[in-house]
Amino acid sequence: MRIRWITGFLDTPSRVAEPFWLAVTGTTLSARRDGGVFATLVPAAGDACLRVQVTGAGRPGAHLDLHVDQVPAAASEAVRFGATVVVDTADLVVLRSPAGIAFCLVPWHGEAVRPAPVTWAGGQSSTVDQLSLDIPGRAYEGEVAFWASLTGWAPVRSDHPEFGFLSGGPAMPLRLLLQRLGDGAPGVHLDLACDGVDLEVDRHVALGATVVRRVAGEWTTLRDPAGREYCVTGRPPVLS
């Protein structure tokens, strides 16, 4: 399976957080699709890699879409690696990883240009940079092996023992962070990279976010207006 593109989805019961994410990312909202359920956050330049879904119920969260050439063949391969099919509509397949992380396989429509970071009035630049796969500790090693096999991307260890990552290279808009949880349910959250964490966090707070915790010099965890947690990190936002 060749992953051609990756998209992060913000899944929310209502549209309450959409203005916040448009302001945070400097994007505009596309026309809504499927009765208003789906929309794309369109960057000023480059191809979109972030979308929203109105779920109507449940907790706010996130999931990822992997864009491939042939969805049925990719789904069969994912099942061989250990995934479970939840919904199969031929041109879109919803699956769960062995640890229970939801993801979709969707057709690739030629996306190829990674959006550039946005520079803000404070002088700092930021971009949505990675999707964190939050994995219960007992399932971590098997889940890393699953995602590495699924994507074909080699796992890389971080300086922090609870983190590793998978990267599809500089053309891919988002990398996958693999976070080992002590406890808790599996899930996905978004991370933004920036070159001025304090300035960027202040900008998010002014737009309606709430600070949850700070790790000095590295990242800050926040909640958006819907209550969904995400992180602002000190990873360089430059395209590389």
Side-chain angles (χ1 to χ4, degrees), residues 9-14 18 37-39 51-56 63:
F9 257 91
L10 296 165
D11 306 319
T12 317
S14 71
E18 290 180 7
V37 172
F38 300 105
R51 298 179 182 175
V52 292
Q53 175 178 213
V54 178
T55 59
H63 77 270

Side-chain angles (χ1 to χ4, degrees), residues 126-219:
S126 68
T127 187
V128 176
D129 150 81
Q130 62 189 9
L131 294 166
S132 176
L133 308 183
D134 305 324
I135 306 164
R138 65 186 180 280
Y140 186 79
E141 297 301 335
E143 195 74 357
V144 170
F146 168 78
W147 287 101
S149 297
L150 183 70
T151 60
W153 304 345
V156 177
R157 295 289 183 183
S158 166
D159 293 337
H160 298 273
E162 70 271 30
F163 296 129
F165 65 88
L166 302 169
S167 174
M172 199 62 60
L174 304 169
R175 74 172 190 170
L176 299 179
L177 180 70
L178 306 163
Q179 176 173 243
R180 186 194 301 265
L181 302 177
D183 294 304
V188 178
H189 74 262
L190 260 62
D191 286 353
L192 288 88
C194 72
D195 52 15
V197 172
D198 291 342
L199 284 171
E200 185 69 4
V201 167
D202 288 347
R203 187 176 72 87
H204 288 221
V205 170
L207 291 168
T210 303
V211 173
V212 177
R213 69 187 69 89
R214 298 178 189 265
V215 179
E218 300 205 49
W219 70 83

